[in-house]
Amino acid sequence: MTLLDALGSPRSLTLPDGGAVSVRPLERSDRAELAAAIARLSDESRYFRFAAAKPRMTERELDHLVDVDHHGHEALLASDPRTGRGIAVARYVPIPGEPGVVELAVTVADEWQGRGLGSALLSRLIARAVEEGHTALRASTLAANARSIAMLRRAGFRILPSAGALRDYELPLASGA
Ligand SMILES: CC(C)(COP(=O)(O)OP(=O)(O)OC[C@H]1O[C@@H](n2cnc3c(N)ncnc32)[C@H](O)[C@@H]1OP(=O)(O)O)[C@@H](O)C(=O)NCCC(=O)NCCS
Protein backbone atom coordinates (compact mmCIF):
# COMPACT_ATOMS: atom_id res chain seq x y z
CA MET A 1 0.00 0.00 0.00
CA THR A 2 1.39 3.40 -0.94
CA LEU A 3 1.16 6.59 1.04
CA LEU A 4 -1.62 7.98 -1.17
CA ASP A 5 -3.67 4.79 -0.76
CA ALA A 6 -3.18 4.99 2.98
CA LEU A 7 -4.41 8.57 2.96
CA GLY A 8 -7.41 7.67 0.87
CA SER A 9 -6.48 9.75 -2.21
CA PRO A 10 -7.86 8.17 -5.36
CA ARG A 11 -5.25 6.92 -7.84
CA SER A 12 -7.09 8.38 -10.79
CA LEU A 13 -8.68 11.66 -11.72
CA THR A 14 -11.15 12.72 -14.38
CA LEU A 15 -10.52 15.97 -16.25
CA PRO A 16 -13.36 18.42 -16.98
CA ASP A 17 -13.47 17.11 -20.59
CA GLY A 18 -13.84 13.52 -19.35
CA GLY A 19 -10.21 12.47 -19.92
CA ALA A 20 -8.87 9.94 -17.40
CA VAL A 21 -5.44 10.21 -15.78
CA SER A 22 -3.61 7.96 -13.29
CA VAL A 23 -1.94 9.63 -10.30
CA ARG A 24 0.52 8.25 -7.75
CA PRO A 25 3.52 9.38 -5.72
CA LEU A 26 6.73 9.64 -7.75
CA GLU A 27 9.32 7.01 -6.83
CA ARG A 28 13.05 6.57 -7.50
CA SER A 29 12.19 3.90 -10.06
CA ASP A 30 10.44 6.57 -12.19
CA ARG A 31 13.81 8.19 -13.02
CA ALA A 32 14.02 7.03 -16.65
CA GLU A 33 10.38 7.89 -17.40
CA LEU A 34 10.78 11.29 -15.76
CA ALA A 35 13.89 12.03 -17.86
CA ALA A 36 12.00 10.97 -21.01
CA ALA A 37 8.99 13.12 -20.10
CA ILE A 38 11.20 16.18 -19.53
CA ALA A 39 12.95 15.51 -22.86
CA ARG A 40 9.55 15.42 -24.62
CA LEU A 41 8.62 18.92 -23.35
CA SER A 42 8.72 21.83 -25.78
CA ASP A 43 11.53 24.36 -25.32
CA GLU A 44 8.94 26.86 -24.05
CA SER A 45 7.54 24.53 -21.39
CA ARG A 46 11.05 23.61 -20.18
CA TYR A 47 11.91 27.30 -20.06
CA PHE A 48 8.77 28.11 -18.08
CA ARG A 49 9.38 25.21 -15.67
CA PHE A 50 13.05 25.85 -14.95
CA ALA A 51 13.13 29.61 -15.68
CA ALA A 52 16.16 28.90 -17.85
CA ALA A 53 16.93 27.32 -21.22
CA LYS A 54 17.40 23.69 -20.22
CA PRO A 55 18.13 21.46 -23.19
CA ARG A 56 19.10 18.53 -20.99
CA MET A 57 19.01 17.58 -17.28
CA THR A 58 22.24 16.54 -15.56
CA GLU A 59 22.41 13.20 -13.75
CA ARG A 60 22.62 15.13 -10.48
CA GLU A 61 19.49 17.14 -11.24
CA LEU A 62 17.61 13.94 -12.07
CA ASP A 63 18.84 12.35 -8.83
CA HIS A 64 17.41 15.31 -6.93
CA LEU A 65 14.06 15.17 -8.77
CA VAL A 66 13.50 11.52 -7.75
CA ASP A 67 14.89 11.92 -4.22
CA VAL A 68 11.40 12.34 -2.77
CA ASP A 69 10.89 11.59 0.94
CA HIS A 70 7.08 12.19 0.76
CA HIS A 71 7.27 14.63 3.68
CA GLY A 72 9.34 17.78 3.12
CA HIS A 73 9.71 16.82 -0.55
CA GLU A 74 6.62 15.42 -2.25
CA ALA A 75 6.00 14.71 -5.93
CA LEU A 76 2.89 13.36 -7.61
CA LEU A 77 3.21 11.71 -11.02
CA ALA A 78 0.30 11.69 -13.47
CA SER A 79 0.38 9.24 -16.33
CA ASP A 80 -1.74 8.43 -19.35
CA PRO A 81 -3.44 5.11 -18.52
CA ARG A 82 -3.58 4.24 -22.25
CA THR A 83 0.18 4.52 -22.83
CA GLY A 84 1.67 4.42 -19.33
CA ARG A 85 3.67 7.54 -20.22
CA GLY A 86 4.32 10.21 -17.60
CA ILE A 87 2.33 13.34 -18.53
CA ALA A 88 2.61 15.62 -15.49
CA VAL A 89 4.41 16.10 -12.17
CA ALA A 90 3.47 18.37 -9.28
CA ARG A 91 6.06 18.67 -6.53
CA TYR A 92 7.13 20.69 -3.57
CA VAL A 93 10.53 20.95 -1.98
CA PRO A 94 11.64 22.49 1.32
CA ILE A 95 12.86 26.10 1.30
CA PRO A 96 16.15 26.24 3.25
CA GLY A 97 15.88 28.49 6.29
CA GLU A 98 12.07 28.70 6.17
CA PRO A 99 10.72 25.79 8.19
CA GLY A 100 7.22 24.73 7.15
CA VAL A 101 7.32 26.66 3.86
CA VAL A 102 7.66 24.55 0.71
CA GLU A 103 8.16 25.61 -2.90
CA LEU A 104 6.08 24.03 -5.61
CA ALA A 105 6.47 23.38 -9.31
CA VAL A 106 3.97 21.85 -11.70
CA THR A 107 4.73 20.57 -15.19
CA VAL A 108 2.21 19.20 -17.68
CA ALA A 109 3.14 17.63 -21.03
CA ASP A 110 2.44 20.08 -23.86
CA GLU A 111 -0.32 18.03 -25.47
CA TRP A 112 -2.13 17.79 -22.10
CA GLN A 113 -1.93 21.48 -21.19
CA GLY A 114 -5.06 23.62 -20.90
CA ARG A 115 -7.32 20.68 -19.90
CA GLY A 116 -7.35 21.28 -16.17
CA LEU A 117 -4.67 18.69 -15.32
CA GLY A 118 -2.25 21.20 -13.77
CA SER A 119 -5.01 22.60 -11.56
CA ALA A 120 -6.22 19.14 -10.54
CA LEU A 121 -2.73 17.94 -9.62
CA LEU A 122 -2.05 21.18 -7.76
CA SER A 123 -5.10 20.65 -5.57
CA ARG A 124 -3.91 17.13 -4.72
CA LEU A 125 -0.49 18.54 -3.88
CA ILE A 126 -2.02 21.23 -1.66
CA ALA A 127 -3.91 18.48 0.18
CA ARG A 128 -0.64 16.57 0.71
CA ALA A 129 1.06 19.72 2.06
CA VAL A 130 -1.81 20.20 4.53
CA GLU A 131 -1.58 16.54 5.60
CA GLU A 132 2.15 16.99 6.23
CA GLY A 133 1.51 20.05 8.39
CA HIS A 134 3.30 22.56 6.16
CA THR A 135 2.33 26.17 6.82
CA ALA A 136 2.63 27.72 3.36
CA LEU A 137 3.22 26.88 -0.27
CA ARG A 138 5.36 29.24 -2.35
CA ALA A 139 5.62 29.40 -6.13
CA SER A 140 7.95 31.37 -8.34
CA THR A 141 6.93 31.79 -11.95
CA LEU A 142 8.02 33.91 -14.91
CA ALA A 143 5.82 36.99 -15.32
CA ALA A 144 5.23 35.90 -18.93
CA ASN A 145 3.77 32.55 -17.86
CA ALA A 146 0.06 33.47 -18.05
CA ARG A 147 -1.18 29.89 -17.71
CA SER A 148 0.83 29.22 -14.58
CA ILE A 149 -0.30 32.51 -13.02
CA ALA A 150 -3.96 31.70 -13.86
CA MET A 151 -3.56 28.26 -12.24
CA LEU A 152 -2.00 29.70 -9.06
CA ARG A 153 -4.59 32.49 -8.70
CA ARG A 154 -7.45 30.08 -9.15
CA ALA A 155 -5.98 27.89 -6.40
CA GLY A 156 -5.99 30.90 -4.06
CA PHE A 157 -2.33 31.95 -4.22
CA ARG A 158 -1.60 35.64 -3.57
CA ILE A 159 1.27 37.56 -5.15
CA LEU A 160 4.22 38.58 -2.94
CA PRO A 161 6.33 41.67 -3.55
CA SER A 162 8.74 40.65 -6.30
CA ALA A 163 10.92 42.32 -8.90
CA GLY A 164 12.38 41.36 -12.24
CA ALA A 165 11.14 38.61 -14.54
CA LEU A 166 9.91 36.33 -11.73
CA ARG A 167 6.67 36.61 -9.77
CA ASP A 168 6.42 35.00 -6.33
CA TYR A 169 3.11 33.64 -5.06
CA GLU A 170 2.13 32.18 -1.69
CA LEU A 171 -0.73 30.15 -0.29
CA PRO A 172 -0.96 30.05 3.51
CA LEU A 173 -2.19 26.65 4.69
CA ALA A 174 -4.62 26.26 7.54
CA SER A 175 -2.95 23.09 8.68
CA GLY A 176 -0.35 23.13 11.40
CA ALA A 177 -1.56 19.60 12.22
C1 LIG B 1 1.53 25.91 -16.02
C2 LIG B 1 0.94 24.51 -16.17
C3 LIG B 1 1.48 23.61 -15.06
C4 LIG B 1 -0.59 24.62 -16.03
O1 LIG B 1 -1.14 23.33 -16.23
P1 LIG B 1 -2.36 23.15 -17.26
O2 LIG B 1 -2.86 21.77 -17.11
O3 LIG B 1 -1.91 23.57 -18.59
O4 LIG B 1 -3.38 24.24 -16.68
P2 LIG B 1 -4.94 24.14 -16.51
O5 LIG B 1 -5.55 23.51 -17.72
O6 LIG B 1 -5.22 23.52 -15.19
O7 LIG B 1 -5.31 25.68 -16.54
C5 LIG B 1 -4.87 26.56 -15.57
C6 LIG B 1 -5.43 27.92 -15.88
O8 LIG B 1 -4.83 28.46 -17.06
C7 LIG B 1 -5.85 28.93 -17.95
N1 LIG B 1 -5.31 28.79 -19.28
C8 LIG B 1 -5.38 27.74 -20.07
N2 LIG B 1 -4.72 27.99 -21.22
C9 LIG B 1 -4.24 29.25 -21.10
C10 LIG B 1 -3.45 30.10 -21.94
N3 LIG B 1 -3.03 29.70 -23.13
N4 LIG B 1 -3.10 31.31 -21.47
C11 LIG B 1 -3.51 31.74 -20.27
N5 LIG B 1 -4.24 30.98 -19.43
C12 LIG B 1 -4.60 29.76 -19.85
C13 LIG B 1 -6.99 28.03 -17.69
O9 LIG B 1 -8.19 28.65 -18.15
C14 LIG B 1 -6.91 27.90 -16.21
O10 LIG B 1 -7.43 29.06 -15.60
P3 LIG B 1 -8.83 28.95 -14.88
O11 LIG B 1 -8.65 27.81 -13.91
O12 LIG B 1 -8.99 30.29 -14.25
O13 LIG B 1 -9.80 28.65 -15.98
C15 LIG B 1 1.28 23.89 -17.55
O14 LIG B 1 0.74 24.70 -18.58
C16 LIG B 1 2.76 23.67 -17.77
O15 LIG B 1 3.28 22.62 -17.44
N6 LIG B 1 3.48 24.66 -18.34
C17 LIG B 1 4.90 24.52 -18.59
C18 LIG B 1 5.70 24.44 -17.28
C19 LIG B 1 5.33 25.56 -16.34
O16 LIG B 1 5.12 26.67 -16.74
N7 LIG B 1 5.27 25.24 -15.05
C20 LIG B 1 4.91 26.20 -14.03
C21 LIG B 1 6.12 26.54 -13.22
S1 LIG B 1 5.65 26.59 -11.51
Side-chain angles (χ1 to χ4, degrees), residues 45 48 106-108 113-119 145 147-148 150 154:
S45 286
F48 277 155
V106 184
T107 314
V108 175
Q113 289 178 15
R115 296 177 59 183
L117 177 53
S119 300
N145 195 346
R147 193 173 274 182
S148 175
R154 175 144 189 194

Side-chain angles (χ1 to χ4, degrees), residues 13-38:
L13 61 84
T14 305
L15 301 178
D17 64 7
V21 172
S22 306
V23 183
R24 63 171 174 75
L26 184 87
E27 303 296 344
R28 223 173 268 278
S29 56
D30 295 312
R31 194 177 195 280
E33 179 52 30
L34 182 68
I38 294 171

Side-chain angles (χ1 to χ4, degrees), residues 17 42 44 64 68 96 100 118 120 122 126 130 157 159 167 170-171:
D17 64 7
S42 65
E44 183 188 69
H64 173 64
V68 181
L122 176 58
I126 292 169
V130 170
F157 282 73
I159 194 159
R167 297 282 175 273
E170 187 170 274
L171 180 72

Side-chain angles (χ1 to χ4, degrees), residues 149-168:
I149 290 171
M151 177 185 73
L152 294 168
R153 282 196 179 138
R154 175 144 189 194
F157 282 73
R158 294 281 172 262
I159 194 159
L160 296 174
S162 44
L166 287 174
R167 297 282 175 273
D168 295 325

